[in-house]
Amino acid sequence: MEKPVVDRSKFYELDGVSIFDLQLDSFNPRIRHGADQHDCIDRIASDREPFLRLMKDIATNGLSPQHILLSKSPEGKLIVRDGNRRMTALKLLNRPDLALPDEGLRNLVSRIAATAATPIVATVDCLACDDEETIVDYLRRLHTGENAGIGQVDWDALLISLFNTHAGLPDQNRRAAQLILWMEERGKHVKNDFPITTLTRVLNTEALDILGFKVVDDGIVASLPEANSFALAARVIDDIAQGIINVTRGGGPAPVFA
């Protein structure tokens, strides 16, 4: 049997690495032919607004626990193969002077760093690999889309709302997500591509009452015998899934549940 290209045994952890011992990857697709490390920083920071949002998030919430991926150059230097934006943000937050000669960026970074809600770390835990073929295949899988399910699959609106609701986070589809979670706990399977926004537009207070539910302590509970509420909600969910109920964003009368 042919050995897979991505061999997990070829990756190893390096903990507590100084960010200033890490070199940005001058051939990273976001950078492309960086002349030196200052040029790499400039190229990453050129996408100004998203980059500033990343720095503000790090200053507020800390660094993501996702590993920084490294490889070694022929000279033995540690090269950031995945995580160049995060490393650039950390380098600048620790040393705003690295933004020179862009004085405007340096001032913005200094203000973000000065008002940080969490300590700005200067060391990171990393994942390293010394086999280039393995790294290239891993990065291809990570950054080139779903690849028919092989790569990372983004969450659709339903999955985002179910996650937020289960975690107690705000969500515009919260009530619809609560209903779906209630139904699934009782055996009703809802497909991942279900149009939850349509259910949200259907579920006004009157519709919830017709379906046999009421809101208690910001959650929904059955106001009819559970079997009756389940049957009514299942019909609406199935009708939405099949396109029988399709409430347009522009409004119009709410569907009548017979």
Side-chain angles (χ1 to χ4, degrees), residues 8 25-26 30 41 52 54 61 75 92 100 108 117 130 138 154-155 160 172-173 177 179 198 253-254:
R8 293 177 63 89
D25 181 5
S26 60
R30 298 186 191 278
I41 289 174
L52 288 175
L54 172 62
N61 301 308
E75 298 78 26
L92 289 175
L100 287 175
L108 286 170
D130 299 324
Y138 171 77
D154 290 337
W155 286 350
I160 293 171
Q172 62 182 354
N173 300 309
L179 178 60
T198 300

Side-chain angles (χ1 to χ4, degrees), residues 41-238:
I41 289 174
D42 289 343
R43 289 171 181 248
I44 287 286
S46 65
D47 196 7
R48 184 61 56 89
E49 289 306 314
F51 183 65
L52 288 175
R53 287 195 290 270
L54 172 62
M55 281 197 292
K56 290 175 183 177
D57 182 70
I58 291 174
T60 301
N61 301 308
L63 185 67
S64 161
Q66 183 179 0
H67 274 107
I68 304 300
L69 180 63
L70 308 177
S71 66
K72 290 181 181 178
S73 71
E75 298 78 26
K77 293 181 179 180
L78 296 174
I79 309 298
V80 178
R81 302 301 297 275
D82 191 61
N84 281 272
R85 292 180 71 244
R86 284 173 287 156
M87 280 306 94
T88 301
L90 274 183
K91 286 173 181 280
L92 289 175
L93 287 168
N94 277 278
R95 283 189 54 191
D97 61 288
L98 292 175
L100 287 175
D102 190 337
E103 185 175 353
L105 176 61
R106 186 187 68 214
N107 291 336
L108 286 170
V109 173
S110 296
R111 287 198 291 270
I112 294 171
T115 58
T118 61
I120 305 298
V121 300
T123 61
V124 290
D125 296 336
C126 303
L127 195 65
C129 180
D130 299 324
D131 185 78
E132 183 66 13
E133 186 180 14
T134 297
I135 286 182
V136 168
D137 193 64
Y138 171 77
L139 292 175
R140 178 186 63 81
R141 292 167 182 264
L142 184 64
H143 288 295
T144 57
E146 297 183 9
N147 287 324
I150 295 173
Q152 183 168 307
V153 179
D154 290 337
W155 286 350
D156 290 329
L158 172 66
L159 303 187
I160 293 171
S161 293
L162 293 179
F163 173 83
N164 287 340
T165 300
H166 179 73
L169 302 174
D171 193 274
Q172 62 182 354
N173 300 309
R174 178 176 178 79
R175 205 63 74 206
Q178 288 174 332
L179 178 60
I180 290 172
L181 288 171
W182 189 93
M183 294 292 290
E184 291 198 327
E185 286 173 359
R186 290 155 180 81
K188 174 66 176 175
H189 175 66
V190 179
K191 292 185 176 181
N192 290 343
D193 60 355
F194 177 81
I196 191 171
T197 54
T198 300
L199 182 58
T200 292
R201 292 193 288 273
V202 167
L203 283 184
N204 55 35
T205 302
E206 180 184 3
L208 270 176
D209 183 63
I210 293 172
L211 292 175
F213 293 91
K214 60 183 178 180
V215 177
V216 177
D217 295 332
D218 197 33
I220 63 168
V221 297
S223 57
L224 298 174
E226 279 198 2
N228 294 12
S229 295
F230 182 93
L232 289 169
R235 176 180 172 185
V236 171
I237 289 172
D238 288 342

